[in-house]
Amino acid sequence: MNSRAGDPKQLGTFLKTRRAELDPQQVGLPATGTPRRVVGLRREEVARLASISTDYYTRIEQGRMPASAPVLEALARALRLTADQRTYLLSLAGRRPAEPPARPTTEVTEHNRRLLGQLATSPAVVLTGTMDVLAWNALAAALLTDFGQYPEDRRNYVWLLFNAPEMRARYGDWEGGARSCVAYLRMHTARRPDDPRLHRLLAQLADHGDFQEWWRAHEVAVQGSGDKLFRHPVVGDLTLDWDTLTSATAPDQYIVVWTARPGSPSEHRLHRLHRLAVEADATAARATARGADRRT
């Protein structure tokens, strides 16, 4: 396990947050019958479960001492961390190889642009690690929102979920979707804590109470597929599966694609939405052509 510079302060905050969520009975500790002054586990209880001294654990949580790989693994087991949370813990402790420096991702690669164009019958968007929306097809705009109406520095999937009423209304479970996006962003902080785009985005979301609450919760996740319920005002409800497509030649960009199960009502509604999007594009093209004719 390679080592690199970690973030002791964030590591301590993460450990403190996780132990506050655990009840002693969840981890096999006996009930004492006396009132507890802290929520969740005490430091000495975490230390006991991890088979380390309370002083050692306290120093780790306070950011005053690095933790060895075996101790981190013991803490992950003691705190019942998920696989994603364990990865995040190790990253904060500098126990993962450093990723290559982030390069500018404002230009969509030719491969991703071509693939996006070939996915005309499925909603698809090209995203960055901070979930900036670099490109989208017409069906994604019809399903979610017209991304082009927003300036580039606001064209971010997370920002739009919290700020674009139209996009927010399309989510059948807005809170679940928003929390998942926040958890993904939190994972990104461990991979690239100095990403300037991430810090600008966090500043843009500073006034959103829900975002701040979920961000402080330090939930982390890396999920490459799932399903979502969308409530469209024209075609009705659609339950769509989503998958993430990545490329070795563009690791800082990925494509999210939504598809419907064959023969389902959602598939028929998605086909109708596609027809409407094609008709809208054709109408806009004719209007543009008429405008050009009048100018010549």
Side-chain angles (χ1 to χ4, degrees):
M1 192 180 295
N2 293 331
S3 183
R4 64 177 174 88
D7 191 333
K9 182 179 179 181
Q10 287 296 320
L11 173 64
T13 301
F14 181 63
L15 290 171
K16 185 176 181 179
T17 304
R18 294 283 75 81
R19 70 177 172 87
E21 293 181 341
L22 288 175
D23 185 88
Q25 282 71 46
Q26 287 180 267
V27 296
L29 293 175
T32 63
T34 58
R36 300 176 66 87
R37 290 183 299 174
V38 297
V39 177
L41 299 182
R42 302 183 180 99
R43 285 174 176 165
E44 57 267 28
E45 290 171 334
V46 176
R48 188 191 321 159
L49 290 167
S51 299
I52 60 176
S53 72
T54 301
D55 181 66
Y56 185 13
Y57 176 76
T58 300
R59 288 171 180 267
I60 294 171
E61 191 176 282
Q62 292 177 344
R64 296 188 290 126
M65 178 177 287
S68 66
V71 167
L72 290 169
E73 294 292 354
L75 289 173
R77 291 190 297 270
L79 293 170
R80 305 296 196 267
L81 300 187
T82 66
D84 287 341
Q85 289 172 337
R86 173 184 170 277
T87 299
Y88 182 63
L89 174 74
L90 295 174
S91 296
L92 289 178
R95 296 289 172 176
R96 274 289 180 264
E99 292 194 7
R103 65 180 177 83
T105 56
T106 56
E107 292 297 327
V108 182
T109 66
E110 178 58 31
H111 173 267
N112 282 343
R113 190 176 296 281
R114 185 167 62 249
L115 181 57
L116 192 67
Q118 293 173 355
L119 291 170
T121 58
S122 295
V125 295
V126 179
L127 301 177
T128 68
T130 52
M131 303 188 77
D132 287 326
V133 182
L134 299 185
W136 59 94
N137 61 15
L139 194 49
L143 175 68
L144 297 166
T145 189
D146 178 10
F147 298 103
Q149 68 180 306
Y150 296 95
E152 284 190 14
D153 67 335
R154 293 293 189 271
R155 205 176 294 159
N156 176 277
Y157 204 93
V158 183
W159 188 90
L160 291 169
L161 270 181
F162 282 89
N163 291 278
E166 179 185 30
M167 186 164 166
R168 180 170 179 151
R170 300 292 169 89
Y171 266 65
D173 177 16
W174 175 83
E175 180 175 335
R179 290 184 75 121
S180 294
C181 288
V182 174
Y184 179 87
L185 272 186
R186 174 57 83 176
M187 199 74 175
H188 186 73
T189 64
R191 293 192 295 259
R192 290 192 171 129
D194 299 323
D195 186 343
R197 172 54 186 142
L198 173 65
H199 292 290
R200 290 196 301 272
L201 178 61
L202 294 179
Q204 291 168 354
L205 291 164
D207 294 333
H208 287 273
D210 286 339
F211 178 87
Q212 292 301 317
E213 177 185 349
W214 299 335
W215 185 256
R216 288 192 297 269
H218 279 257
E219 293 293 343
V220 292
V222 177
Q223 189 177 1
S225 62
D227 60 80
K228 285 284 186 294
L229 170 64
F230 295 99
R231 300 193 181 281
H232 197 276
V234 177
V235 301
D237 290 356
L238 304 96
T239 299
L240 303 179
D241 296 325
W242 63 272
D243 290 278
T244 303
L245 309 179
T246 59
S247 170
T249 59
D252 53 345
Q253 297 179 14
Y254 57 98
I255 299 179
V256 176
V257 184
W258 291 270
T259 58
R261 299 194 178 187
S264 66
S266 293
E267 182 186 43
H268 297 303
R269 291 167 185 165
L270 191 60
H271 287 333
R272 184 185 172 205
L273 187 61
H274 175 246
R275 291 194 299 271
L276 293 173
V278 170
E279 291 170 2
D281 276 356
T283 300
R286 288 193 294 270
T288 300
R290 286 196 296 271
D293 290 343
R294 285 194 293 269
R295 290 193 295 271
T296 58

